[in-house]
Structure formats: C-alpha cells, structure tokens
Amino acid sequence: FLEEENYPLVVKPIEPLPGFQLSRLCHTKEDAETCFNYLRKEKNIRAVICQEFLRGKEYIIDAVSKDRNHKVMMIWSYELGNANGTSTVPFGCIPVDSESEESIRLIPYVRGVLNVLGVRNGPTHTKVILTEDGPCLVEVCFRTHGGDGMWRPLCRALTGGYSQIGATIDAFLDPAEFSKLPDKPPSPFRAYGQEVFLVSHSQGKVKSMPGFELLRLLPSFLVMRSTCSVGSKINYTVDLSSSLGRVFLLHHDKATLLRDLSFIRHVEKINGFCVLEATVSNLVRPRGDHLAVRSYGQNFAADGPKLIRHFSNDRPELRRGLMRRTMTTTDASKEVVVLVDPYSSGCCVGLEAQKRGYNLAALWTVGFAEEMKSHIPLSCGGLKYIKEINEADTIEETVKRLESATGSLRIVAVLTGGEAGVDTADAVSEAMNLRTNGTDVPNRRDKKVQQELIRAAGFRATRQAGGSKFEEVEQFLKTEPFPIVLKPTESAGSDGVKLCHTFDEARSHFDLLMKSQMVNGGACGSVLCQEFLRGKEYVVDHVSRDGIHKTMMVWVYDKRPVNGADFVYFACEPVDSNSSEAKIVIPYIRGVLDVLGVRNGASHGEVMMTSAGPCLVEMNCRANGGDGNWQPLCLGLTNGYSQVDATVDAYLEKKAFSALPNKPPSPFKAFGLEVLLVSYSCGTVKATPGYEIMKKFESFVYLETGIKVGSKVTHTIDFITCIGSVILMHNDEEIVKRELAQIRQLEENNEIFTYAETSNMLKSKSKLNLSNATHSEENQNVIISSTRPEMFSH
C-alpha cells in the first residue's frame, strides 16, 4: 500500500486511543515507515493503519443512540486559515446548523455508518471529511466528545437545554426523557457561540499572560483553557498542537459575539496574550559584517566563504565603475596602505587600493575576533596582504612593528578596515603624521560620547544614561518613558541592541550585555540606555578629506511589523539628494561629523527623522557594511562612483576626490534598491525555486543568502533571520516596481522555498490528553466565567 498509494498518507493506530496524539500525516514512504515502527515499537500499538489522505472539510458529528435510534446532539466544523506560513492553521470549531446543506448530507451518512457498525446504544462522535465525492468516514469514537466536556455549556445554550452528556445518561437510565429529545439540534440555534483556538504569532519563554485576563472580561466569555503558563515556551501556531489554548464564546447577540471574536484576533496579531522574556533583538539594521560569529545561527550572513552570492550574468557592466580611474603618478608598488581590522566593506576599500598598485598590510587590534579575520567578501577574492601585524601594547610599539614589517616600503595611509579598528587607525595615523582624524576626540566611536558631544554643540541628541554598573543607569530607567533602547557603548550595528518595554526587562538585558562577548571581539565595557526615537530611519554615507564632506548616498529603511516582531527590515532604498528629507539629514550629519572631529575617510551616520527633526542614532566612522554589496547599485545610480573608491581617492588621489560631486545626482541615473527577503514560514529547505525566479528578473543585479538545500529556515523577526538580500536596478522604474511586487508575493505565498515534508499531527489536542503534544497537561489552566453560572446548571 505504501508503495502504490499517492502521498501524503495518514498513519495511525488501528484503534483510537484516548489520551494520545498519534495520528500522523506522512509525505514519503520513509516517513511512513518511521511512524509505523514508532507506533508499534515505541508505543506498543497492537496494529497500525495506513490510509489515503482525504481532502475536504472536516466535520464532527456527536450522537447518542438508544435501541438504534441515533439522535444527533451537535455538528461541528473546523475553521482553518493562513498564519505563520501555513494555510491550514485551525482558528476555531464552529457549530453547524442542522438544516444546512452540509448537515443534510452528513447526518444520514453518519447514521448509516453507526448502523453498519452495530451501534445500538450510547454516545459516539464521528469524524467525517466532506470530499468532492461526498462524505467519507475518518473514524468513529464510541464515547462522548472529549476536551473535558468544556463544550457542554455551549451546547446546552445552543440547543435550549441539553447536551451529549445528559442525553447519554437519559439513553441508559431515563428512556422517557430520551424520547423527548429532538432528532437533531434545533434550527436556528437558540444562541450564538463557538470554540476559538488561540493562535500565536511569536515565540519565546512566557513571562506573563495579560491577554488571558482580558478574555475573562469579554461579554461572550464562557470558559477557557490555556496551554501555556509562566515559564513555559510558546512557538508559532502552525497546527492544533501549537495553539496557545482555546476559549468558548457564547452570547444571544450575534454582533456581540463577532465583536469579541474580532478582539481576540486583534490581541493575537499584536502578540498581546503573552509577554515573553527578554532576548537580544536587532533594532539597527546589521549589515553582513556584523554577523560573522557562527554561534549566532543566522540565516542570512555568516563568515564570507559560507555565503552564497549570485551576480547577474548578463549585466557585467555593473561589476565595475563607470568613471575612469587612473593610477597614481608615484610608484605605488613601493608604497603600503595599512588596513586596521579589515573585514566586509573594509576589504572592498583595500581591494580598490590594491587595484591601483598599492601593497596592503593588515593590522589586527587586540581582542579582535578570529572569526572576523576570515570574513572576506566573495568579491574580494583577490585581496592579498604582504604582511599581517598584531597590535602592540602601545601606539609607539605598534608603529615600530608596522615599519619593521613593511621594511623599505613606505606606509602612505592607515585606514579603518572595520568598526573595531577606528580608534587604533586614528591613533596610528596620527603618530605616523599621515592623513588622520587624530585623537583630539578620544573614543569617537563610543555611542555615549557621540551623543554628549553633539548635545553640547546644540544638536538634537538622544536622552541617555550609560555605565558599567546598573546603579549608574537605574535612575534614568525609572524616569524615562518606556520603551527604552539598551545597547553596548561600543559595538557594530545591532550587536546586542534591544528594545526593552519594562524596568525588569531592561535590568535583565543590562546584566546580559555585561556578561556578553561582542561580535567584533572583547567584552562589553559598558551599556548605554537611550530614549526610543520614533520616526523614519535614514543612513547617510560620506567620504571626507581635510574636513570636506561629500555625500555618497542617502538611504532609508523600510521597516514593518511582522511575525510578532515590531521592526523587521524589508528594504533599504536610495533617497534623492534633492528630496526634502535629504536636504535636512545631509547638513545635520555633516555638522555631526564636524563635532566628532571626523575630517578624513569614510563614515555612515544613522539618523532618525523624528517629529522634532533629525536626531542621531549613531555615527560609524567607517564605510557602510554589508560586504559592499551595495556597490553595483551605487555605481548605477551615480553613473560611476561609490563610497569604496571615493575613500581611496580621499586618502591617495586628491585630484580624483576633488572631481567627485558634493552629493549624488538628482535624479538618479537609474532606479533600484536593496530588498531584504522575509520568511513567513519555517522548515528544512528542499529547494529554492524563488531564488531562481529572482535571478531571471530584468532588474536583477545581485543576490546574497546563507540559505541552501538542507538549511533550516525560521520566521523572519530581525535581520539575523532574514533569508537573503537582493539588489534590483533598472533604467525603467516600472520594471523595478513590478519585480519588487513579485518578490513580496513570493514571500507571502511561501514560494521562495519548498520544504522537506515532515509528519504532522492531525487530531485536535483539545480533544485529547496532551502528554505527548507540545504543551503538557500540567500547563493547562481552565478558567470558567464566574458571572454566568446558569450555563453550567441542568
């Protein structure tokens, strides 16, 4: 049968067992064999049955029989819908009118089944699929409907006073009363009601359950059972076994019932049923260079060699600059450019210098993570260092090491290669009398220092407090309105950044950060607590030479709530330099650069456009990250230059830097953006058809992803769980818009990946003991309306 029948197949015990959830939907022969052996050997099931998978709507028909007189007590149907990447998530169990078209077909079918099976007396509940060929039996259970009889008060209100429980007693002990019962439930029902399954749109460890308290206040609330408790773990609801619980609603006014049901769905969407314990979340969009540590377990970025990158094969012109670069007039082969902690886009800057004939040396600072040293973008495969030097205890000793290592070659520039190298690059270049930002502003990459300096200079700055001891920030946390952002004072992008909603959550995250290892290496020296800035976030890329700041690009983030997270990145879009927003943020950021003493080199400032105007999030004194994947897009939009080559110009080619425009052209020379791919589902990847579709787009330039066949994908809740990055660009704006819409459709329809099928639970956990399901019985809390005792009286 397993060889010949079409899959999927249902595998389950041949006899229904109360208290166990053992029916499985199997998609392969191997899966079916595994389930079969598990049931026989692990669960000691006498015999196992394999059945075709019936497609159609599932109904449950409750009956009580006496002397072959089968009286239908209630008919139920499951309400299924889309959630969390699954199209068959159960949202409720709804009573069905006995005079409906479905009931007229189901009732005689079930009565005939009961006759064939010789059922003469007692309760049954029969599961039937209404297929396109008509009703087909799933199974008959020779007992009352399960779920601890929580449906009893609902049934009695709908029918006007009876339920399967009382009718069963009547059938055996009070024939006269049984004879008075109607043949089937009244039509219409005497009230309105249903069973509601609570759907989770997030995951984590439960800290409190405020939403469940709200349910008790609903006018139609009758009885509720939660499958979670404080301290338990919840997951995204994809089937009955992963629901948060169930609640029965009942009211004589249909509008009231529907209003309460709508309220429940709203609480689900905003993840209001449970408050989850603090975890590190990412508010600032971390480029790929911030995610090199393997322990993060991210989907999108890993160390360079693990990333899968695809360039457009038929658009090779996008891989090189359109502006002609000339070699330096001096003999660059006798000169050295030192990169301090080079990784990600810092490697791109180094490669540009190498292409112009310069030798490269890498200077690694103390504590810089070993994993980051191998984070070389795929596009920088030809990058070579003539020497790699470790930082000494003092700047003077470090300079001596560099001069000794490079020998007769002349060091002409010391550049920041990554976030951790900013301060050392400034100090070493100053000591060697090279182009530098100097050390007049100590530790200018410290986010707390940045805010204090710009505030003193009269710029709008973020309210904040920082320190290495909780007592140093405690008063701020007690007086500043929540939510509040906590992050390390020195880190790359989103490393350790979290939005905290309560004082306790902030204390917990403070302690977590002080015990943590940062992505770039080293411990967290201190923690910064800041007001949560509300508004649109922009990133402004600059390259400076002798205090002249030239804007390379202005970006804006497209962030939306999804999958239970408030700030998921969907795209990074270029902003026209003559737009009203750019005219505000560009001068603001240039003023910040002046205050921070940034006179030379690359930078990218993150700024929030609040209702009170622009406010600095943080200034990064280095090139924009993301492995420089944005270079082809920038080259196309500007007609030939980017922050990477402009950085080399600033240090080594004065004439070329002078020729660069003050800001990007308006309008751009093309249309494009970076698209961050969002997952609405989870599973083990079997194939990646969506990637293949994107690579055929007319506007496709570049795709980077860490996902391949065999990878495990989860719901996207931050950049770390993003499933890829795509660069789109074309001269026709409509083509870019159309193909962006196609990407969003692929995401929403879960068509980027096909997943390896796994066995699914088919039965409702609300009808069974949950000792073998996701949540144990001991976590189930039953709450009954104390204001409606009449629903529980006979």
Side-chain angles (χ1 to χ4, degrees):
F1 181 80
L2 297 180
E3 294 281 0
E4 297 174 357
E5 185 66 23
N6 293 327
Y7 283 83
L9 296 176
V10 177
V11 179
K12 61 184 179 181
I14 203 165
E15 296 175 354
L17 299 177
F20 290 94
Q21 172 50 279
L22 297 175
S23 297
R24 294 292 188 272
L25 183 64
C26 300
H27 296 265
T28 65
K29 182 174 180 289
E30 293 74 18
D31 194 10
E33 288 177 350
T34 299
C35 290
F36 186 98
N37 292 328
Y38 172 78
L39 292 173
R40 287 284 292 117
K41 297 176 182 179
E42 299 294 327
K43 292 299 179 182
N44 297 317
I45 302 301
R46 179 180 65 84
V48 176
I49 188 171
C50 303
Q51 294 179 327
E52 68 168 306
F53 175 55
L54 298 171
R55 302 182 185 277
K57 197 166 187 179
E58 183 178 359
Y59 295 83
I60 299 174
I61 298 89
D62 297 341
V64 175
S65 305
K66 178 176 176 60
D67 298 331
R68 298 176 69 94
N69 180 10
H70 312 301
K71 294 191 175 184
V72 174
M73 298 290 106
M74 189 58 63
I75 304 166
W76 310 87
S77 71
Y78 285 121
E79 176 193 6
L80 304 178
N82 287 295
N84 300 318
T86 303
S87 60
T88 56
V89 173
F91 279 79
C93 196
I94 304 174
V96 179
D97 191 297
S98 61
E99 293 297 332
S100 66
E101 181 180 346
E102 307 99 303
S103 296
I104 292 173
R105 302 177 70 187
L106 291 167
I107 290 174
Y109 176 85
V110 169
R111 285 173 174 164
V113 168
L114 295 178
N115 286 333
V116 170
L117 297 180
V119 177
R120 296 176 56 84
N121 296 287
T124 55
H125 67 278
T126 304
K127 299 177 182 179
V128 177
I129 299 289
L130 194 53
T131 72
E132 59 182 16
D133 298 322
C136 185
L137 178 69
V138 175
E139 64 185 30
V140 179
C141 298
F142 301 95
R143 54 181 174 83
T144 56
H145 201 128
D148 290 350
M150 291 176 65
W151 39 265
R152 185 186 184 192
L154 174 59
C155 289
R156 292 172 63 181
L158 297 181
T159 62
Y162 67 90
S163 72
Q164 192 183 35
I165 301 287
T168 298
I169 301 299
D170 292 339
F172 285 100
L173 302 176
D174 198 336
E177 285 299 315
F178 183 81
S179 66
K180 296 178 183 178
L181 292 173
D183 190 49
K184 57 185 178 182
S187 175
F189 290 122
R190 304 289 189 254
Y192 301 93
Q194 71 172 87
E195 179 181 13
V196 180
F197 299 119
L198 303 179
V199 175
S200 168
H201 294 276
S202 58
Q203 62 181 357
K205 191 174 183 179
V206 177
K207 186 175 182 180
S208 62
M209 303 166 60
F212 289 93
E213 295 302 315
L214 295 176
L215 291 180
R216 301 170 64 178
L217 304 177
L218 296 177
S220 65
F221 173 74
L222 185 59
V223 61
M224 170 178 65
R225 165 173 281 168
S226 65
T227 57
C228 58
S229 59
V230 174
S232 65
K233 292 182 179 180
I234 64 171
N235 207 336
Y236 297 97
T237 299
V238 294
D239 55 21
L240 281 163
S241 68
S242 50
S243 73
L244 292 175
R246 57 200 178 105
V247 58
F248 285 87
L249 303 181
L250 174 67
H251 207 277
H252 293 290
D253 178 21
K254 185 176 182 180
T256 299
L257 178 81
L258 294 176
R259 185 171 61 248
D260 290 351
L261 179 60
S262 177
F263 175 79
I264 291 174
R265 298 307 178 207
H266 174 70
V267 175
E268 290 173 339
K269 284 291 185 182
I270 64 173
N271 299 289
F273 280 113
C274 298
V275 174
L276 304 179
E277 288 191 1
T279 57
V280 176
S281 58
N282 298 287
L283 293 182
V284 182
R285 185 267 209 238
R287 313 294 303 213
D289 48 320
H290 304 143
L291 301 172
V293 178
R294 295 183 181 90
S295 61
Y296 271 51
Q298 65 274 8
N299 286 337
F300 173 41
D303 47 350
K306 290 188 177 181
L307 286 168
I308 302 168
R309 299 177 173 92
H310 301 276
F311 276 106
S312 173
N313 290 325
D314 56 354
R315 305 180 71 185
E317 75 280 1
L318 298 175
R319 306 183 202 179
R320 64 178 185 272
L322 303 180
M323 292 180 66
R324 186 176 180 182
R325 292 283 186 242
T326 59
M327 297 290 291
T328 177
T329 55
T330 59
D331 188 355
S333 66
K334 297 179 180 179
E335 298 176 330
V336 180
V337 172
V338 177
L339 299 173
V340 184
D341 293 340
Y343 64 98
S344 183
S345 56
C347 296
C348 299
V349 173
L351 184 64
E352 177 66 25
Q354 181 179 296
K355 288 179 178 177
R356 300 189 193 186
Y358 292 95
N359 298 290
L360 300 180
L363 172 61
W364 304 113
T365 59
V366 174
F368 188 71
E370 287 297 321
E371 295 91 340
M372 298 294 284
K373 295 179 182 179
S374 63
H375 187 194
I376 300 174
L378 192 66
S379 59
C380 297
L383 189 70
K384 294 180 181 179
Y385 302 121
I386 60 168
K387 293 290 182 180
E388 295 187 43
I389 305 100
N390 292 322
E391 182 186 19
D393 292 336
T394 66
I395 293 298
E396 292 75 14
E397 286 297 322
T398 300
V399 171
K400 288 180 181 179
R401 286 188 183 183
L402 285 171
E403 291 175 337
S404 173
T406 54
S408 61
L409 299 176
R410 185 168 70 98
I411 298 176
V412 293
V414 178
L415 280 63
T416 297
E419 182 68 28
V422 171
D423 296 333
T424 299
D426 289 340
V428 170
S429 57
E430 182 181 52
M432 299 185 73
N433 294 315
L434 299 172
R435 187 170 302 284
T436 183
N437 289 319
T439 57
D440 292 341
V441 179
N443 199 11
R444 60 170 49 85
R445 62 184 283 252
D446 185 306
K447 298 173 177 62
K448 183 172 182 289
V449 171
Q450 291 176 358
Q451 296 291 341
E452 291 172 348
L453 287 173
I454 67 170
R455 181 181 289 107
F459 287 83
R460 164 73 164 96
T462 307
R463 296 188 301 273
Q464 64 180 18
S468 58
K469 297 180 180 179
F470 187 74
E471 292 75 17
E472 297 176 275
V473 301
E474 186 172 9
Q475 185 59 32
F476 177 81
L477 294 175
K478 288 181 176 178
T479 56
E480 181 69 21
F482 279 88
I484 294 175
V485 177
L486 268 72
K487 57 187 175 183
T489 54
E490 297 181 13
S491 67
S494 69
D495 188 14
V497 180
K498 179 172 175 56
L499 183 65
C500 298
H501 295 268
T502 66
F503 180 85
D504 290 341
E505 187 178 5
R507 179 195 289 271
S508 175
H509 192 62
F510 185 98
D511 293 339
L512 175 66
L513 287 177
M514 289 307 298
K515 298 174 184 177
S516 297
Q517 182 85 2
M518 295 294 98
V519 166
N520 281 332
C524 177
S526 60
V527 176
L528 185 60
C529 304
Q530 294 181 323
E531 68 169 304
F532 175 54
L533 298 172
R534 302 179 189 277
K536 214 165 191 179
E537 186 178 1
Y538 295 82
V539 177
V540 187
D541 298 343
H542 275 95
V543 174
S544 307
R545 178 184 168 95
D546 296 334
I548 298 174
H549 312 299
K550 296 196 174 184
T551 306
M552 298 292 107
M553 192 60 64
V554 181
W555 310 88
V556 64
Y557 291 135
D558 175 11
K559 295 187 291 187
R560 313 176 199 174
V562 71
N563 293 328
D566 294 325
F567 308 103
V568 174
Y569 290 87
F570 278 68
C572 190
E573 304 175 11
V575 178
D576 191 297
S577 60
N578 278 335
S579 66
S580 58
E581 306 98 311
K583 288 179 179 179
I584 295 174
V585 297
I586 289 176
Y588 175 87
I589 288 295
R590 288 181 177 179
V592 169
L593 291 172
D594 289 337
V595 170
L596 297 182
V598 178
R599 296 178 50 79
N600 295 287
S603 63
H604 66 279
E606 298 170 7
V607 58
M608 193 72 72
M609 184 68 80
T610 72
S611 58
C615 184
L616 181 71
V617 176
E618 63 187 44
M619 177 61 70
N620 301 282
C621 305
R622 56 181 173 83
N624 208 326
D627 285 355
N629 297 339
W630 36 265
Q631 281 188 86
L633 177 59
C634 290
L635 292 172
L637 297 180
T638 64
N639 200 33
Y641 67 91
S642 75
Q643 191 183 38
V644 167
D645 44 80
T647 300
V648 179
D649 291 341
Y651 280 93
L652 302 170
E653 302 284 350
K654 179 180 179 180
K655 186 176 181 180
F657 181 80
S658 299
L660 291 172
N662 184 50
K663 58 184 180 180
S666 175
F668 289 121
K669 304 302 183 183
F671 303 92
L673 75 164
E674 179 185 13
V675 184
L676 302 173
L677 302 178
V678 175
S679 168
Y680 294 88
S681 57
C682 59
T684 300
V685 175
K686 185 178 180 180
T688 58
Y691 290 158
E692 299 306 311
I693 292 174
M694 294 176 209
K695 286 158 60 177
K696 295 177 182 177
F697 285 167
E698 292 181 67
S699 66
F700 173 75
V701 175
Y702 186 86
L703 164 66
E704 177 178 274
T705 179
I707 306 299
K708 57 185 178 181
V709 173
S711 299
K712 290 185 178 180
V713 170
T714 186
H715 298 80
T716 299
I717 56 173
D718 54 18
F719 187 75
I720 292 177
T721 49
C722 168
I723 55 175
S725 168
V726 179
I727 301 291
L728 301 181
M729 187 175 71
H730 202 277
N731 292 327
D732 187 339
E733 185 178 14
E734 290 305 313
I735 290 176
V736 175
K737 288 181 177 180
R738 183 179 69 243
E739 293 178 342
L740 174 61
Q742 285 182 256
I743 290 177
R744 297 307 177 206
Q745 188 173 24
L746 288 170
E747 292 171 334
E748 292 172 5
N749 295 340
N750 298 294
E751 293 174 341
I752 293 180
F753 308 121
T754 57
Y755 294 112
E757 303 288 0
T758 58
S759 59
N760 297 31
M761 285 189 281
L762 293 177
K763 294 183 180 179
S764 166
K765 69 172 183 176
S766 65
K767 310 298 186 289
L768 299 166
N769 177 285
L770 295 183
S771 59
N772 282 22
T774 302
H775 305 286
S776 64
E777 188 74 43
E778 64 184 19
N779 283 336
Q780 294 191 9
N781 305 308
V782 179
I783 299 174
I784 300 172
S785 173
S786 58
T787 61
R788 308 179 72 184
E790 75 281 0
M791 298 300 179
F792 296 87
S793 60
H794 191 58

